[in-house]
Amino acid sequence: QVQLLQSGPGLVRPSETLSLTCTVSGGSISGYYWNWIRQSPVKGLEWIGYIYHTGSTNSNPSLKSRVTISIDTSRNQFSLRLSSVTAADTAVYYCARDPMDVWGQGTTVTVSS
Amino acid sequence: EIVLTQTPLSLSVTPGQPASMSCKATHSLLDSDGKTYAYWYLQKPGQSPQLLIYEVSSRFSGVSDRFSGAGSGTDFTLKISRVEAEDVGVYYCMQGVNHPITFGQGTRLEI
C-alpha cells in the first residue's frame, strides 16, 4: 500500500524559501503525477502544482512565479520549494498522488519572524 | 479557473438518515476524452482528506456503498444513504478537467 511521508520545517521566516519533501513508500514514483496542495482557513484547499516522474511540471498560476517542484526518482521523493514567503503562505501543506487518492500526513507551516 | 460552489455549507443529520450535498461548477467538467473529472473527498477532524468518489460516480477502493455520486456537466451530488457517526467531517468536491485544479469550499456534516 502506497504511503506518503512528508518532511520539512514547520517555521519559515518571511521572505525566505519554504522547502518540503514527500517520500513515497510501498510503491514506485514512476507512472504517476505527484501533487502539492495547501489548506488555510482563508483559502481552503488550494492546488499548488504537480510533477510527473519524467520531471514535467505544472503549477497554479497564482503561485507559479514562486513555485519549484522537483523529483528524485532514485530516492522515490519529490519536493516543493516556495520562495519569498509571507504570512499569507501559512497553511497546512499536503503532498498527494494524482488524482489525490493517496495523501501525506500534512505539514503545518507557519511563516513568522 | 473553474469555481466550485458547494451547498449547503453545513448539514446536521440524525444517524441512520440520508444526507445529500451539491457541487456546482462554473464550467463543464466533461473532458474531450469523454470522462467527467469530478471527485469527492472527506476530511475527518484532524486528518488529511480521503478520496471517496472519482469521475462522478465511481467509489474508491474500500469506500462504503452508502456513498454514491451522481451528476453531469456542471452539477454534481454526493449522497449518503444512511449516515453513521464516522461520516462526520468536511466533504469537498474537486475538479480535475482544467488547470488549475480547484476545490469547493466544503460541506460540513455534523451528527
Side-chain angles (χ1 to χ4, degrees):
Chain A
Q1 183 179 353
V2 174
Q3 292 185 313
L4 304 182
L5 182 62
Q6 298 177 220
S7 57
L11 179 64
V12 183
R13 307 290 185 207
S15 80
E16 295 189 347
T17 296
L18 177 162
S19 293
L20 296 173
T21 295
C22 187
T23 301
V24 180
S25 63
S28 175
I29 203 167
S30 296
Y32 291 94
Y33 289 88
W34 301 93
N35 296 268
W36 287 100
I37 295 152
R38 67 183 184 179
Q39 184 174 31
S40 67
V42 172
K43 289 202 162 185
L45 288 164
E46 181 180 25
W47 177 73
I48 299 171
Y50 68 51
I51 189 164
Y52 194 49
H53 70 92
T54 57
S56 68
T57 61
N58 196 350
S59 55
N60 196 317
S62 67
L63 299 168
K64 200 177 189 86
S65 62
R66 299 193 291 129
V67 168
T68 302
I69 300 175
S70 59
I71 195 164
D72 185 342
T73 55
S74 67
R75 303 180 72 175
N76 255 24
Q77 292 180 335
F78 62 105
S79 299
L80 169 71
R81 289 172 59 86
L82 181 66
S83 64
S84 305
V85 297
T86 69
D89 295 310
T90 294
V92 179
Y93 286 74
Y94 294 99
C95 58
R97 186 178 74 174
D98 208 68
M100 321 318 172
D101 61 347
V102 183
W103 292 66
Q105 80 276 22
T107 301
T108 300
V109 177
T110 302
V111 178
S112 174
S113 56
Chain B
E1 173 173 318
I2 295 177
V3 176
L4 301 178
T5 301
Q6 292 186 240
T7 56
L9 292 182
S10 66
L11 200 49
S12 184
V13 182
T14 302
Q17 294 301 303
S20 179
M21 58 196 76
S22 168
C23 176
K24 293 186 187 297
T26 53
H27 298 79
S28 175
L29 303 189
L30 174 64
D31 196 8
S32 55
D33 64 4
K35 295 181 181 180
T36 300
Y37 291 99
Y39 302 82
W40 290 95
Y41 298 84
L42 166 59
Q43 187 172 30
K44 296 183 178 181
Q47 296 186 17
S48 304
Q50 58 190 77
L51 177 63
L52 297 175
I53 302 287
Y54 64 96
E55 294 172 20
V56 180
S57 58
S58 297
R59 266 189 305 275
F60 186 54
S61 175
V63 173
S64 169
D65 60 5
R66 296 182 296 104
F67 292 90
S68 62
S72 63
T74 60
D75 291 353
F76 302 92
T77 302
L78 177 71
K79 293 185 178 180
I80 310 173
S81 58
R82 300 173 309 281
V83 170
E84 298 182 0
E86 66 185 24
D87 301 334
V88 163
V90 182
Y91 291 79
Y92 295 97
C93 56
M94 185 195 84
Q95 67 81 19
V97 70
N98 276 352
H99 291 124
I101 293 168
T102 51
F103 294 85
Q105 76 274 45
T107 292
R108 182 176 299 276
L109 178 67
E110 301 172 336
I111 298 292

